[in-house]
Amino acid sequence: MRLASLVHLASLNLRSDRRGTILNTAAACVGAAALVFFVALGMGVGQAARLLFPGDARLIEVVPGAVSLGAALGGGALDDGAMERLRELPGVQGAWRRLSLRVPIAASRAPEGVRMNWPPGFTVQVPVVGVDAGLVASDLQPGRRFDDPPAGEPIPVLASRRLLEVYNKTIAPAWNLRRLPAGIDLVGLQIPVQVGFSIIPLKTEEKVYDARLALAGLSDRVPLYSLAVPVETVRRLHREYGKSDAGYSSVVLELARPDDVPSAAAAVRRMGFAVDEGERAIAERVGLAITVVAGALALLALLMTALAALAIAQSLSASVRARTRDIAILQSLGATAGDVRALVLAEAALVGLAGGVLGVLIAWLAARGVDAAALRFLPDFPFRPTTFFQFPPWLFALGVGVSASAALLGALAPAALAARIDPARAIS
Amino acid sequence: MISLRHITKCFRDGEREVVVLRDLDLDVAAGAFTAVVGPSGSGKSTLLYVAGGLDADYEGEAVVAGRDLRALSARERAAFRNVSVGFVFQSFNLLPALPAVENTMLPGLFAPPGVPAPSIGQLRIRAMEALDRVGLADKASRLPAHLSGGERQRVAIARALLSRPAVLLADEPTGNLDAVSGEAVIQLFSAMVRDGVTVLVVTHEERVSAAAGRVLHLEEGRLR
Ligand SMILES: Nc1ncnc2c1ncn2[C@@H]1O[C@H](COP(=O)(O)OP(=O)(O)O)[C@@H](O)[C@H]1O
Ligand SMILES: [Mg+2]
């Protein structure tokens, strides 16, 4: 039997049993809709969480051990010797220093190169951390350098990629400042600052002078509420202000693979240092929770699909039994057992395809509805996603494919039943 | 055209074995109009199913339209039913959900491999021609439920003729029809015989056998 004939007859049969066709399509549709909806939700929420916590799974942050313990174990200070030993650990590809600046820096004028309604007399303390250029090299805008500049030149700084979003959603509304347009290119912006000045009067240094910070790029490796400058700049300022440099604030290790993290962290602890789990741990826990919940929901959807297959099997079996005589008539006209089997399978496949397409459509519409509701009812928090769903093209194919396969699977037994009908017996 | 030799057919009825056809012989020449008459339950339908390749569970030899039915596989038997014979039944055996034209098209959907298969559109045209031949072109889109008994049987005849078979097998074709409709069916059979089709009708009605060129009696499993 040719495909065109098969589809022709199968669709005639489906049209004549409208009720059964609608019920079976609905069964197939519910499973496909649930599957696509939950998988899209899991991927969308996972993506939103990665934006919120862009922790790099291959980085660990080493911090000095607790003072008493550190001394006892010979650990403690993160100095150049410690750096060398950390670099030697198996799986470590890079080790970069971080050193917090202990000289206060404050900004009391608007950055240059961006329109901002800076309130008169308003001063903001700028937390600054020195980092090795290697840590942020890939985030530097091309052509920009990240090393301690000659006296009088602007100091290159990197800000967190998330700062703009957080500024717009929390800082600007709280302080009544103008929001910055999303997607604005802030790189190159210059911030006039006062080195040595603190908004806490007692903490202001004796020497205060004007300097400029120049934004050289945005990076996920810079802490959210601070600006990163070259580590040499921090050491120079510490020398200028007579601050001692006992060791680094932390050392960031980059590992070859995320799987190396647990063993490397254990080795770091054996050396007497501590590991700051920080955002990476949160990101991992959130990611794991999302994966588990989305996986469970997708499994539930697969179960629904299996139930749909059972429902289709039952309804098709009843339909085949009711059509025994019709099938015998087709056999008298030249239908082979294979034709009869193919006919039942084709009916199921059409139902499964229609249910799958419908289900995918419903899942997509439901997702749009949820997104619209979220936009209306959720407060505007930083990194609030514009969508909680992701619909890659393969997901549509998956929904339709699973639905059609489930329907075909359900049709196997009824098709075999139909193929066994004896025309001589059934036709009289 | 039809040659049955030593056909024996039994049915199992629980423990009992009922012999319906007993060492039956039948020869029908090409282009003949033959009637087999016999009382209800004498095995007329059984005989027709054997000759038409619907029933393969019997003893003896059956050669129909040049095909040795015993030598055919189930698939080849289906092709034989599609290409070489047409069936007409007492109860019409139309699919109730399909309009007359779709019912008429059905044999074309099962064209076996090797036979040039027409497209659905071509099939519809051929089905309309067949319906026109039985005088029903204007009722092609009606469901069987909206046709009279005589009209239904004419649709069934149009369907049986769609693939232009050499042999037409009819099982009590006028059994459910009034005198006028029955006469129309008999006229159609006579016209087909004139066109060279070999017609074998089983019936217990005098008016059908009267139109046939030869009448055989089925009694105790044999033809006389
Ligand atoms: N599938 C079957 N199982 C058992 N007995 C059958 C079956 N089909 C027909 N018979 C029996 O075979 C005999 C002949 O049946 P049939 O050929 O239909 O007779 P007719 O068509 O002449 O009325 C009847 O006694 C009938 O009961
Ligand atoms: Mg009968």
Side-chain angles (χ1 to χ4, degrees):
Chain A
M1 196 175 183
R2 289 181 318 148
L3 187 65
S5 306
L6 192 62
V7 172
H8 178 75
L9 193 50
S11 45
L12 279 177
N13 284 343
L14 291 176
R15 238 175 294 162
S16 66
D17 178 19
R18 198 157 295 156
R19 213 180 93 89
T21 301
I22 289 174
L23 284 179
N24 286 342
T25 307
C29 163
V30 168
L35 182 69
V36 170
F37 184 85
F38 290 139
V39 172
L41 180 65
M43 288 194 301
V45 172
Q47 174 65 22
R50 274 191 296 283
L51 279 179
L52 203 51
F53 305 108
D56 187 329
R58 294 176 307 143
L59 297 186
I60 53 178
E61 190 174 356
V62 181
V63 292
V67 177
S68 56
L69 257 177
L73 294 171
L78 273 171
D79 49 20
D80 289 325
M83 271 288 287
E84 284 315 307
R85 281 183 290 136
L86 287 169
R87 225 187 274 279
E88 298 296 305
L89 288 178
V92 171
Q93 279 189 328
W96 293 291
R97 302 166 292 178
R98 272 187 184 163
L99 181 58
S100 299
L101 179 64
R102 281 178 289 142
V103 179
I105 290 189
S108 47
R109 277 186 292 144
E112 293 161 8
V114 60
R115 276 164 44 82
M116 258 182 91
N117 54 338
W118 191 274
F122 179 70
T123 301
V124 60
Q125 202 73 47
V126 183
V128 172
V129 61
V131 301
D132 270 326
L135 181 64
V136 292
S138 57
D139 296 321
L140 274 182
Q141 186 121 115
R144 297 205 173 255
R145 300 179 57 84
F146 194 71
D147 40 35
D148 191 28
E153 297 272 311
I155 300 166
V157 298
L158 284 153
S160 166
R161 208 183 289 285
R162 294 175 288 168
L163 188 58
L164 178 65
E165 173 83 7
V166 171
Y167 169 84
N168 273 342
K169 297 286 173 67
T170 60
I171 300 173
W175 292 350
N176 232 348
L177 297 174
R178 183 179 293 137
R179 292 177 190 216
L180 297 171
I184 185 177
D185 184 14
L186 294 173
V187 176
L189 171 121
Q190 298 216 350
I191 310 161
V193 292
Q194 287 175 292
V195 178
F197 184 82
S198 172
I199 52 174
I200 304 164
L202 284 174
K203 295 220 164 168
T204 299
E205 302 286 339
E206 288 185 357
K207 181 172 90 172
V208 173
Y209 63 93
D210 286 338
R212 289 169 169 281
L213 307 179
L215 194 61
L218 298 171
S219 171
D220 286 329
R221 294 180 171 184
V222 174
L224 183 51
Y225 287 106
S226 51
L227 296 178
V229 301
V231 72
E232 293 78 20
T233 306
V234 172
R235 299 182 98 170
R236 171 169 62 82
L237 290 174
H238 281 178
R239 279 197 303 276
E240 273 181 37
Y241 285 86
K243 311 273 184 195
S244 64
D245 270 338
Y248 303 108
S249 314
S250 67
V251 171
V252 177
L253 298 181
E254 185 183 288
L255 301 163
R257 297 175 304 128
D259 296 352
D260 293 335
V261 166
S263 61
V268 165
R269 291 200 183 89
R270 275 197 301 277
M271 288 170 66
F273 301 115
V275 173
D276 184 355
E277 298 284 356
E279 282 195 353
R280 190 179 55 80
I282 298 174
E284 262 172 26
R285 253 170 257 143
V286 168
L288 184 69
I290 291 167
T291 307
V292 166
V293 171
L297 290 174
L299 222 65
L300 186 75
L302 278 179
L303 196 74
M304 288 164 77
T305 312
L307 286 177
L310 277 180
I312 288 171
Q314 188 146 40
S315 126
L316 265 183
S317 292
S319 151
V320 163
R321 266 189 286 274
R323 288 188 291 164
T324 298
R325 189 183 167 80
D326 289 6
I327 290 167
I329 293 169
L330 295 181
Q331 289 173 316
S332 80
L333 298 174
T336 63
D339 289 340
V340 170
R341 183 183 299 115
L343 187 60
V344 176
L345 291 177
E347 288 174 24
L350 287 178
V351 160
L353 283 177
V357 169
L358 209 66
V360 163
L361 201 71
I362 288 173
W364 188 81
L365 287 175
R368 290 287 82 87
V370 168
D371 281 343
L375 201 65
R376 267 196 67 182
F377 299 115
L378 284 187
D380 192 12
F381 56 86
F383 300 102
R384 189 183 74 175
T386 50
T387 176
F388 288 92
F389 300 87
Q390 273 193 343
F391 286 98
W394 62 259
L395 186 55
F396 292 104
L398 179 83
V400 176
V402 165
S403 167
S405 314
L408 274 177
L409 217 64
L412 284 181
L417 186 71
R420 277 200 305 271
I421 290 173
D422 174 8
R425 219 170 255 269
I427 208 159
S428 38
Chain B
M1 185 55 61
I2 301 174
S3 170
L4 306 184
R5 290 271 168 277
H6 312 299
I7 299 293
T8 298
K9 169 76 188 178
C10 310
F11 286 109
R12 285 217 157 274
D13 185 10
E15 292 293 278
R16 237 155 38 91
E17 193 162 76
V18 185
V19 182
V20 178
L21 304 178
R22 192 187 303 270
D23 198 25
L24 175 145
D25 289 329
L26 170 65
D27 279 293
V28 176
F33 186 173
T34 308
V36 172
V37 297
S40 183
S42 59
K44 302 187 296 296
S45 296
T46 305
L47 170 64
L48 220 56
Y49 296 164
V50 168
L54 269 180
D55 193 343
D57 179 25
Y58 56 87
E59 282 158 44
E61 304 291 313
V63 178
V64 179
R67 313 300 300 267
D68 178 1
L69 299 189
R70 302 234 58 160
L72 300 183
S73 66
R75 188 187 288 265
E76 289 164 335
R77 246 189 341 271
F80 165 80
R81 293 194 297 265
N82 185 259
V83 173
S84 302
V85 300
F87 283 101
V88 174
F89 300 92
Q90 175 176 6
S91 50
F92 320 128
N93 279 354
L94 300 177
L95 297 198
L98 303 191
V101 64
E102 294 287 351
N103 259 294
T104 310
M105 286 162 66
L106 284 173
L109 300 179
F110 301 109
V115 173
S119 72
I120 302 292
Q122 290 168 324
L123 255 183
R124 198 178 301 277
I125 292 168
R126 271 175 51 190
M128 287 305 297
E129 287 166 2
L131 284 173
D132 192 39
R133 243 177 291 151
V134 300
L136 282 176
D138 55 330
K139 294 181 176 169
S141 55
R142 291 214 193 163
L143 289 176
H146 299 140
L147 294 170
S148 74
E151 288 167 342
R152 285 182 219 178
Q153 195 60 299
R154 277 146 66 197
V155 172
I157 292 169
R159 182 178 71 184
L161 293 179
L162 185 83
S163 17
R164 304 194 167 281
V167 176
L168 186 91
L169 303 173
D171 188 353
E172 314 249 18
T174 56
N176 283 345
L177 303 183
D178 59 50
V180 178
S181 310
E183 188 53 39
V185 166
I186 294 164
Q187 293 293 321
L188 279 171
F189 285 171
S190 301
M192 282 155 51
V193 171
R194 280 197 296 281
D195 286 348
V197 179
T198 306
V199 177
L200 177 63
V201 186
V202 304
T203 183
H204 57 252
E205 287 192 45
E206 188 65 30
R207 56 175 175 166
V208 182
S209 50
R214 180 177 166 219
V215 180
L216 299 165
H217 294 264
L218 184 57
E219 272 167 32
E220 288 168 355
R222 292 213 181 107
L223 286 169
R224 279 197 290 116

